[in-house]
Amino acid sequence: MHDVIIIGAGPAGLAAAFWCDELGLDTLLLEQQESVGGQLHRIYNPISNYPGLKTANGAEMLEHFAAGVDAADFDLWTNVEIESVNLRSRQIALRSGESLQAIALIIATGVRRRRLGIDGEETFIDRGIIESGTRDRELFKGQDVCVVGGGDAAAENALLLAEVCPTVTLVHRGKSLRARREFVERLKGNHCITVFTESRLQRIIGTDRVEAVEILRQGAIKPFQMAVGGVLIRIGVEPNSDLFADQLPLDQQRYIVVDARQETAVQNVFAIGDIANPLAPTISGGAGAGATAAKIIAARLSSRAP
Ligand SMILES: Cc1cc2nc3c(=O)[nH]c(=O)nc-3n(C[C@H](O)[C@H](O)[C@H](O)COP(=O)(O)OP(=O)(O)OC[C@H]3O[C@@H](n4cnc5c(N)ncnc54)[C@H](O)[C@@H]3O)c2cc1C
């Protein structure tokens, strides 16, 4: 029986583990990936909004977080596959057959990129699906590309790619773009960028690599094909709450609902970071929420109920 088991080793889970460790709690941190860091692995831009630390990208931020892991005393298991979780008894069954239990659970499973669910989206990963405009721009230099989405991330990536690609086609299913006004103005003024609103990407086509996309415009009877060498998809994120969905109240978008203590509707089960914060997901917010949950748990365990 551990004092605390934390599920997910992104910034929020790591911050919670550091705090639990400092507060003398017997802590186990579980991560499904090979390494800790969560979304930090996908940040290719400078991070300048974390207090006291400016880094060139998420990887550099992760070096600072990971340095703390080596120095700390909590247990960290990576490559962990969770089969099921019983929140009321705080028992976790792993695919490996092991069973774990804790007095308190902290859920820090974050969010994943939303997928279109169309043909070619999975097949062409690393073969024409563009992971990031910042990271991959040089790889797609001189090629026509397609960007899907209507928010800030899609607009920003389209603008970055337009610096090196002859044409960028932005496909958005809504009537108008959701991106901030500054981005929309820059898109309009860029002669390399064409915006198709009320349009859907239906298929990504190719043999070895991406060669074309199929787009259906609203009102059209048939889709049309357009030759492109790359496709970048930014249609938002969704919470990793499936494991807990039938045991906890979720909001309409399936984020976990918590109170000011970061506690869920199940006593001694906490949720922190992006999984419980659809409004303002940030590294610092996740770290703060981790500290809150750890302090509440430590106070409860020493029977100083807050
Ligand atoms: C491109 C980009 C730029 C960003 N820029 C900034 C910025 O400048 N400033 C800022 O503050 N924030 C930024 N963010 C947001 C920031 O990265 C997130 O708010 C932060 O990573 C959230 O941390 P988290 O720990 O809650 O979740 P995540 O980082 O999503 O980590 C969740 C972890 O849980 C693991 N996990 C999920 N399910 C399971 C399971 N069943 N079992 C075990 N482990 C599991 C995942 O593998 C992952 O490691 C950016 C994000 C992106 C994508």
Side-chain angles (χ1 to χ4, degrees):
M1 173 76 91
H2 297 273
D3 290 338
V4 188
I5 296 178
I6 302 165
I7 306 174
L14 284 167
F18 294 140
W19 267 103
C20 287
D21 186 39
E22 189 170 320
L23 294 168
L25 302 175
D26 166 14
T27 306
L28 173 60
L29 176 58
L30 302 178
E31 170 56 50
Q32 67 183 2
Q33 300 292 330
E34 213 169 295
S35 60
V36 303
Q39 291 170 66
L40 294 183
H41 292 282
R42 300 207 315 258
I43 304 180
Y44 304 102
N45 297 319
I47 302 174
S48 51
N49 41 41
Y50 190 80
L53 199 59
K54 286 191 191 309
T55 63
N57 48 41
E60 192 184 322
M61 175 70 75
L62 181 53
E63 282 174 23
H64 292 277
F65 274 83
V69 174
D70 294 337
D73 242 355
F74 58 81
D75 287 328
L76 166 66
W77 294 4
T78 53
N79 283 320
V80 165
E81 278 188 82
I82 295 179
E83 175 84 43
S84 63
V85 180
N86 183 325
L87 295 181
R88 297 226 169 261
S89 61
R90 294 167 310 281
Q91 275 177 310
I92 298 176
L94 301 185
R95 286 259 155 88
S96 59
E98 267 165 295
S99 176
L100 306 166
Q101 193 173 18
I103 298 169
L105 281 187
I106 300 179
I107 301 169
T109 46
V111 297
R112 58 181 180 267
R113 274 200 197 130
R114 183 168 285 136
R115 296 196 170 275
L116 286 166
I118 59 170
D119 280 355
E121 191 178 14
E122 301 282 337
T123 324
F124 295 114
I125 289 175
D126 292 332
R127 293 188 294 138
I129 297 291
I130 308 171
E131 162 70 15
S132 151
T134 312
R135 192 192 72 172
D136 300 335
R137 218 165 9 157
E138 287 306 308
L139 291 175
F140 289 87
K141 195 173 183 171
Q143 301 188 47
D144 298 317
V145 298
C146 175
V147 175
V148 187
D152 282 347
E156 191 175 16
N157 277 288
L159 289 162
L160 280 168
L161 289 165
E163 290 172 14
V164 295
C165 299
T167 72
V168 177
T169 305
L170 183 67
V171 179
H172 175 48
R173 66 177 183 176
K175 249 191 178 142
S176 55
L177 299 175
R178 282 176 286 104
R180 66 183 84 149
R181 199 189 305 169
E182 176 219 329
F183 284 155
V184 175
E185 292 305 319
R186 284 175 57 203
L187 289 172
K188 278 186 193 155
N190 191 315
H191 67 275
C192 301
I193 300 177
T194 306
V195 180
F196 288 155
T197 53
E198 297 187 275
S199 303
R200 284 171 193 270
L201 200 73
Q202 291 210 312
R203 210 150 61 97
I204 302 170
I205 304 158
T207 42
D208 287 342
R209 293 186 57 82
V210 170
E211 288 166 13
V213 287
E214 198 172 88
I215 299 169
L216 181 66
R217 304 210 63 185
Q218 195 178 38
I221 298 163
K222 276 188 179 172
F224 69 94
Q225 287 193 4
M226 190 175 66
V228 293
V231 180
L232 186 144
I233 301 162
R234 281 292 185 283
I235 53 168
V237 294
E238 48 197 0
N240 293 318
S241 56
D242 303 349
L243 253 183
F244 323 101
D246 54 350
Q247 300 175 62
L248 280 177
L250 304 176
D251 74 6
Q252 276 188 341
Q253 296 169 304
R254 298 176 67 79
Y255 284 82
I256 297 178
V257 177
V258 291
D259 63 16
R261 298 180 174 87
Q262 298 297 140
E263 195 165 19
T264 69
V266 181
Q267 203 184 16
N268 290 330
V269 177
F270 297 76
I272 58 170
D274 286 14
I275 185 72
N277 187 355
L279 294 179
T282 57
I283 302 166
S284 48
T292 302
K295 285 188 155 214
I296 300 289
I297 294 166
R300 258 186 214 166
L301 289 187
S302 62
S303 27
R304 285 182 279 119

